[in-house]
Amino acid sequence: MSKLYPVSAEFAAQANIKAADYASLYDESVTDPDEFWGRIGKRLEWSKPYTQVQDTSFDASDLHINWYADGELNVATNCLDRHLEKHGDKIAIIWEGDDPNESRRISYRELHAEVCKCANMLKNLGVQKGDRITIYLPMIPEAAVAMLACARIGAVHSIVFGGFSPDSLAGRIVDCTSKLIITADEGLRGGKKVPLKINVDEALQRPGTNTVETVIVVRRTGSPVAMQAPRDRWYHSLMAAQSTECPPEPMNAEDPLFILYTSGSTGKPKGVLHTTGGYLVYASYTHECVFDLQENDVYWCTADVGWVTGHSYMVYGPLANGATSLMFEGVPNYPDVSRFWQVVDKHQVTLFYTAPTAIRALMRDGEAPVKKTKRTSLRLLGTVGEPINPEAWEWYHRVVGDERCPIVDTWWQTETGGILITPLAGAIAQKPGSATKPFFGIKPAIVDVNGTQLEGAAEGNLVITDSWPGQMRTVYGDHQRFIDTYFKTYPGTYFTGDGARRDEDGYYWITGRVDDVINVSGHRLGTAEVESALVAHPKVAEAAVVGCPHDIKGQGIYAYVTLKTGIEPTEELRKELRDWVRKEIGPIATPDYLQWAPGLPKTRSGKIMRRILRKIAENQPDQLGDISTLADPGVVASLVDERMIR
Ligand code: WTA
């Protein structure tokens, strides 16, 4: 039996959503979604009100997803302009630098002026509605300014995480034929400099990137960088000349807002496309309900702006709600491992949202670094990105939250735009390790391998049977891949790629990916991406990559490598290959384990049996199952003997 943490009466008394509200609103949201989302949509300001709400079908032969389809609005207006009259002086963004002595407070009025200037700058450089803009920035306010400036003029942003390599950046530029890049001289994380401009220069030497006409460079560290005329321009000099007024472009609800690349089980990363109206309704409404947002909250989401969590729950959701959102440039352990909690005390953070991997890493250092801070401002904690193990949940609750703060374990995906399964702290009792119940309008189901929907307590694959406003609309440039990836496996439903269990109380427990995607410290990686990086090395004949258990990261990367004939497996080569992957994709893709494999277990038709490789990497050699169908069952014994985790 898992432990139950009941809703605290004190928290419930002031909560936006109470138990009875959850029951009745959920019921309405799934029985009459048009009425429900029609009403919720009015939380935004529409320049042309919608008359239609939901128009969707998950039937692969007639797939369409439209929400509020005849409405018009602008995301930047909703995140900025409409707050000015009453809340112009309220702080929109608190920026906390990597260096604890550096921070900034930016009011809604100031942010509005910066965004208008940036929008005018882009327009003056020839950017038009629909153009794709790549943003490759560190965690500095200019990242939010750039996003909102794109939204204001109808340009589609594609943010690339600053930890990605020049090659990964180039791939994302080529895929969306980006016209302009906004970057910085360098990033700063944990006292170390990240050479962003150098990476951009390298990326732009790759074939197919010549659609990029302009590179705008924000001066962050001030280190000298090469500026190539006329392509490269300084952000500060361009901005100085711009007007603080810029009329927002009226956008149709279904016009694209952004593309964000994410890893799938096959091939290169997919450009997940989100649109304007439904996305913002969903991001803002979930943000208000899930974090129980109230007027004076100081809300901090630690995610990088390069991931979807940074999009929906650091920028768009909070700013649409007129909240104060904290943006942190640094890392949890710099200058020391108390940093998160020092920042909480310094800025009196009330709502705190982070990843289980960060909690597990901090647990290693014990309670003292946490307990020497006050944290009395905190009233709610959240997690996202991967399953949280009950031990980490309990520690977060007891040590960080002093047993006072409820925890929302929020399950969602880049594709879903916002949170789908989560407790609402004033309404739903929590069980450590369970994302608990579906949010309003979300109809999850658990299916077996044949696609039969299971009732009651059950375990299987997680699907969603009806649309919600924040859902992705397509894979940029490849609509067929969208249909094939998400709507064909279990016809008539959206397939999440996750496994889940539903218990006797109707609570959902996410068990992890069931496809070839691994989740390393909450970052999604396709095993195929790491494999193709490895086989691109001249000494590698073949490679297979699987996930393995990892105490801190949740999952680690375990690579099996077969070398070309005549190449000696040495420790130097092992290091060379790990560095190679790091350089090809980025530090997050560096294999934790690299095992030499004289051969890989394959079926007679040549397909690698990953099931077996996964079990070996999980140190469960007695659970390999049937290996008789292998072309050469003999290879298994030596792989087991040489396994690296025991
Ligand atoms: C996993 C991040 C368990 C899941 C927002 C999903 C989780 C993938 C949780 C999406 C959670 C996310 N509990 N697993 N609370 N949240 N996941 O696209 O496997 O980076 O499919 O989106 O992370 O990762 P993505």
Side-chain angles (χ1 to χ4, degrees), residues 126-146:
V127 175
Q128 293 177 354
K129 179 174 174 176
D131 285 346
R132 275 82 53 215
I133 304 295
T134 297
I135 299 177
Y136 186 61
L137 282 173
M139 289 284 282
I140 53 177
E142 286 80 359
V145 170

Short mmCIF file of all heavy atoms in Angstrom, two decimals, residues 126-146:
data_model
loop_
_atom_site.label_atom_id
_atom_site.label_comp_id
_atom_site.label_asym_id
_atom_site.label_seq_id
_atom_site.Cartn_x
_atom_site.Cartn_y
_atom_site.Cartn_z
N GLY A 126 13.47 42.62 -41.70
CA GLY A 126 12.75 41.92 -42.77
C GLY A 126 11.98 40.69 -42.33
O GLY A 126 11.49 39.93 -43.17
N VAL A 127 11.88 40.46 -41.03
CA VAL A 127 11.14 39.28 -40.56
C VAL A 127 9.64 39.52 -40.75
O VAL A 127 9.12 40.58 -40.38
CB VAL A 127 11.44 38.98 -39.07
CG1 VAL A 127 10.58 37.83 -38.57
CG2 VAL A 127 12.92 38.68 -38.90
N GLN A 128 8.97 38.53 -41.32
CA GLN A 128 7.53 38.65 -41.56
C GLN A 128 6.77 37.54 -40.85
O GLN A 128 7.36 36.53 -40.47
CB GLN A 128 7.26 38.57 -43.06
CG GLN A 128 7.83 39.76 -43.78
CD GLN A 128 7.65 39.67 -45.28
OE1 GLN A 128 7.19 38.66 -45.82
NE2 GLN A 128 8.02 40.73 -45.97
N LYS A 129 5.47 37.77 -40.74
CA LYS A 129 4.59 36.76 -40.16
C LYS A 129 4.84 35.39 -40.81
O LYS A 129 4.93 35.30 -42.03
CB LYS A 129 3.14 37.20 -40.41
CG LYS A 129 2.10 36.24 -39.89
CD LYS A 129 0.71 36.85 -40.06
CE LYS A 129 -0.35 35.81 -39.68
NZ LYS A 129 -1.70 36.38 -39.73
N GLY A 130 4.99 34.37 -40.00
CA GLY A 130 5.20 33.02 -40.53
C GLY A 130 6.67 32.63 -40.68
O GLY A 130 6.99 31.45 -40.76
N ASP A 131 7.59 33.61 -40.69
CA ASP A 131 9.02 33.28 -40.79
C ASP A 131 9.47 32.53 -39.54
O ASP A 131 8.99 32.80 -38.44
CB ASP A 131 9.87 34.56 -40.89
CG ASP A 131 9.77 35.20 -42.28
OD1 ASP A 131 9.29 34.52 -43.21
OD2 ASP A 131 10.17 36.38 -42.41
N ARG A 132 10.44 31.63 -39.70
CA ARG A 132 10.98 30.90 -38.56
C ARG A 132 12.27 31.55 -38.05
O ARG A 132 13.15 31.89 -38.82
CB ARG A 132 11.26 29.42 -38.91
CG ARG A 132 10.04 28.54 -38.76
CD ARG A 132 9.12 28.61 -39.95
NE ARG A 132 9.86 28.34 -41.17
CZ ARG A 132 9.60 28.92 -42.34
NH1 ARG A 132 8.62 29.80 -42.45
NH2 ARG A 132 10.32 28.63 -43.41
N ILE A 133 12.31 31.71 -36.72
CA ILE A 133 13.43 32.36 -36.04
C ILE A 133 14.00 31.36 -35.04
O ILE A 133 13.27 30.81 -34.22
CB ILE A 133 12.92 33.58 -35.23
CG1 ILE A 133 12.16 34.56 -36.12
CG2 ILE A 133 14.06 34.26 -34.47
CD1 ILE A 133 13.00 35.21 -37.17
N THR A 134 15.31 31.12 -35.11
CA THR A 134 15.93 30.22 -34.15
C THR A 134 16.47 31.02 -32.97
O THR A 134 17.15 32.04 -33.16
CB THR A 134 17.07 29.43 -34.82
OG1 THR A 134 16.50 28.64 -35.86
CG2 THR A 134 17.78 28.51 -33.82
N ILE A 135 16.14 30.58 -31.77
CA ILE A 135 16.63 31.25 -30.56
C ILE A 135 17.58 30.27 -29.85
O ILE A 135 17.20 29.15 -29.53
CB ILE A 135 15.46 31.65 -29.64
CG1 ILE A 135 14.52 32.63 -30.36
CG2 ILE A 135 15.98 32.25 -28.33
CD1 ILE A 135 13.28 33.03 -29.57
N TYR A 136 18.82 30.69 -29.66
CA TYR A 136 19.85 29.84 -29.04
C TYR A 136 20.50 30.70 -27.97
O TYR A 136 21.57 31.28 -28.16
CB TYR A 136 20.83 29.42 -30.15
CG TYR A 136 21.91 28.43 -29.79
CD1 TYR A 136 21.62 27.14 -29.33
CD2 TYR A 136 23.26 28.77 -29.96
CE1 TYR A 136 22.62 26.23 -29.06
CE2 TYR A 136 24.28 27.86 -29.68
CZ TYR A 136 23.95 26.59 -29.24
OH TYR A 136 24.95 25.68 -28.97
N LEU A 137 19.80 30.82 -26.86
CA LEU A 137 20.19 31.77 -25.82
C LEU A 137 20.31 31.07 -24.47
O LEU A 137 19.68 30.05 -24.23
CB LEU A 137 19.11 32.86 -25.69
CG LEU A 137 19.10 33.99 -26.72
CD1 LEU A 137 17.86 34.86 -26.51
CD2 LEU A 137 20.36 34.84 -26.64
N PRO A 138 21.10 31.65 -23.59
CA PRO A 138 21.12 31.15 -22.22
C PRO A 138 19.89 31.66 -21.47
O PRO A 138 19.04 32.33 -22.05
CB PRO A 138 22.41 31.75 -21.66
CG PRO A 138 22.66 32.99 -22.45
CD PRO A 138 22.00 32.80 -23.79
N MET A 139 19.83 31.37 -20.19
CA MET A 139 18.68 31.78 -19.37
C MET A 139 18.83 33.24 -18.95
O MET A 139 19.20 33.54 -17.80
CB MET A 139 18.58 30.86 -18.15
CG MET A 139 18.14 29.47 -18.53
SD MET A 139 16.37 29.41 -18.88
CE MET A 139 15.77 29.41 -17.19
N ILE A 140 18.57 34.11 -19.89
CA ILE A 140 18.61 35.55 -19.62
C ILE A 140 17.28 36.14 -20.09
O ILE A 140 16.61 35.55 -20.95
CB ILE A 140 19.81 36.23 -20.32
CG1 ILE A 140 19.82 35.90 -21.82
CG2 ILE A 140 21.13 35.79 -19.66
CD1 ILE A 140 20.94 36.58 -22.60
N PRO A 141 16.89 37.29 -19.54
CA PRO A 141 15.57 37.84 -19.89
C PRO A 141 15.36 38.01 -21.39
O PRO A 141 14.25 37.90 -21.89
CB PRO A 141 15.56 39.20 -19.18
CG PRO A 141 16.49 39.03 -18.03
CD PRO A 141 17.56 38.09 -18.49
N GLU A 142 16.46 38.24 -22.13
CA GLU A 142 16.34 38.41 -23.58
C GLU A 142 15.69 37.20 -24.24
O GLU A 142 15.11 37.31 -25.32
CB GLU A 142 17.72 38.67 -24.20
CG GLU A 142 18.25 40.07 -23.94
CD GLU A 142 18.88 40.25 -22.55
OE1 GLU A 142 18.88 39.28 -21.75
OE2 GLU A 142 19.35 41.36 -22.26
N ALA A 143 15.79 36.02 -23.60
CA ALA A 143 15.14 34.83 -24.19
C ALA A 143 13.63 35.01 -24.19
O ALA A 143 12.96 34.76 -25.20
CB ALA A 143 15.55 33.57 -23.41
N ALA A 144 13.07 35.46 -23.05
CA ALA A 144 11.63 35.69 -22.99
C ALA A 144 11.24 36.85 -23.90
O ALA A 144 10.20 36.80 -24.59
CB ALA A 144 11.21 35.98 -21.55
N VAL A 145 12.08 37.89 -23.94
CA VAL A 145 11.80 39.04 -24.81
C VAL A 145 11.74 38.57 -26.27
O VAL A 145 10.81 38.92 -27.02
CB VAL A 145 12.89 40.13 -24.63
CG1 VAL A 145 12.75 41.21 -25.69
CG2 VAL A 145 12.81 40.72 -23.22
N ALA A 146 12.69 37.75 -26.67
CA ALA A 146 12.73 37.28 -28.06
C ALA A 146 11.51 36.43 -28.40
O ALA A 146 10.91 36.57 -29.47
CB ALA A 146 14.02 36.49 -28.31
#
